[in-house]
Amino acid sequence: MEKKQVKTEGKGKIKWAATCGLLACLGEFLVEFHAANGVPGYNAVRQTISYLGHADSPMHTLVTFWGTCFTLLFLGYAHGFQKVYQGFPKAKWAVMSMVVHGLAQGMGSAYFPVDLSQPVPLGYWDLHQILSGCGDLALVGFPWVMQGYFKDRGAWGLYLTRWVGYLGAILMLLFVVSKYGGEGFLGPYKGLLQRLAQGVYYVYFCFLAMGMLRGKELPFGSR
C-alpha cells in the first residue's frame, strides 16, 4: 500500500510539472501577443520580443512580472522532466538546457531589460544580450541532446526531434543574422524570425509535456 502511494504521488508530481511546462510555453505566447498590442507603434515583424519590456515600455511591469512567473514555471517543468528521463545518461544536459533557458528567458530578460539608450554597436554585449544569447543557445542544444534518447525508442520521436533540431537551429541562425547584420536582407524580419524559432522549440516542449501528462514519452506515436 505504501509503495503504491509513493508511486501515485510521483505521477502526480510529474503531471504537475508537465502542467507548469504547458503554462510557461502557452503563457509566453499569450503575454507576448497582449504586450505587442499594448505598445504603441510596435511591429512584431520588424522588432524583437525584447523591445516589449524595455524600461520606458507601457508593458514593462507586465513583462517583468511574467518573467518571474515563466522562470518558476519552467524550473518546475525541468524538475519533473528530470524524473521522467532520469534513466537517460545525458538527461542532466537536457535539464541543464531547460534551467538555463528558464532563467535567461524569464528573470534574466525581465530584470535586465534591453537598454535602448545605447548605440546599437555598443549594445551587443550588454547583460540583456548576453542572457538572451545564453537562453537561445540552450534552446538550440536541447533537441540535439534528446536525439540520443529517442534513437532507440521508435522512429516517430526521433524524426520529430531531428526536425526540431534542424529547423530550430536554421531559424535561430537566420534570426542572429537579421539581428546583428543591420537593416539588410533579413533585418526587417528579425521579429518574425525570432518568433518562428521560439515557436518551434516551445511547441516541442508542449509535446513533451503532453506526453508526461499521459505517462508517455510523447502524446502519441511512442511506445
Side-chain angles (χ1 to χ4, degrees):
M1 183 70 178
E2 184 178 352
K3 291 183 178 180
K4 184 176 181 181
Q5 183 178 0
V6 172
K7 187 175 181 180
T8 302
E9 289 177 353
K11 288 184 177 180
K13 290 180 179 179
I14 290 173
K15 290 184 177 181
W16 172 84
T19 302
C20 286
L22 290 172
L23 289 175
C25 295
L26 297 176
E28 181 71 12
F29 290 127
L30 291 174
V31 170
E32 287 178 12
F33 179 78
H34 175 72
N37 289 326
V39 176
Y42 181 78
N43 188 323
V45 174
R46 298 181 63 93
Q47 294 172 295
T48 63
I49 298 169
S50 298
Y51 186 85
L52 296 172
H54 70 86
D56 296 326
S57 168
M59 294 287 109
H60 175 72
T61 301
L62 171 64
V63 172
T64 302
F65 173 76
W66 168 246
T68 304
C69 294
F70 178 89
T71 293
L72 294 176
L73 289 170
F74 214 77
L75 292 182
Y77 179 34
H79 179 68
F81 187 90
Q82 183 178 28
K83 291 183 177 296
V84 173
Y85 294 93
Q86 58 186 347
F88 175 43
K90 295 184 179 179
K92 61 181 180 181
W93 296 108
V95 173
M96 186 179 299
S97 296
M98 298 173 73
V99 170
V100 170
H101 179 71
L103 291 171
Q105 174 68 18
M107 294 183 68
S109 296
Y111 290 99
F112 300 96
V114 65
D115 187 356
L116 297 181
S117 65
Q118 296 187 46
V120 174
L122 299 178
Y124 285 171
W125 301 109
D126 65 15
L127 191 53
H128 176 88
Q129 302 290 1
I130 293 173
L131 290 170
S132 179
C134 289
D136 290 343
L137 285 175
L139 279 183
V140 172
F142 180 80
W144 295 99
V145 175
M146 292 304 296
Q147 284 186 41
Y149 178 83
F150 286 110
K151 67 179 181 180
D152 298 323
R153 291 172 171 81
W156 194 89
L158 180 59
Y159 290 155
L160 172 64
T161 305
R162 282 181 176 173
W163 181 83
V164 171
Y166 283 113
L167 181 60
I170 291 172
L171 288 171
M172 195 65 75
L173 176 61
L174 292 175
F175 165 62
V176 172
V177 172
S178 69
K179 185 177 181 181
Y180 296 114
E183 291 298 316
F185 176 66
L186 294 176
Y189 305 101
K190 54 181 174 287
L192 175 62
L193 289 169
Q194 183 184 28
R195 287 168 170 81
L196 289 175
Q198 182 191 64
V200 168
Y201 292 112
Y202 280 20
V203 168
Y204 184 59
F205 280 129
C206 286
F207 262 69
L208 296 179
M210 288 188 290
M212 289 167 60
L213 284 174
R214 296 188 60 192
K216 297 183 178 182
E217 300 157 349
L218 296 168
F220 53 84
S222 62
R223 295 178 184 177

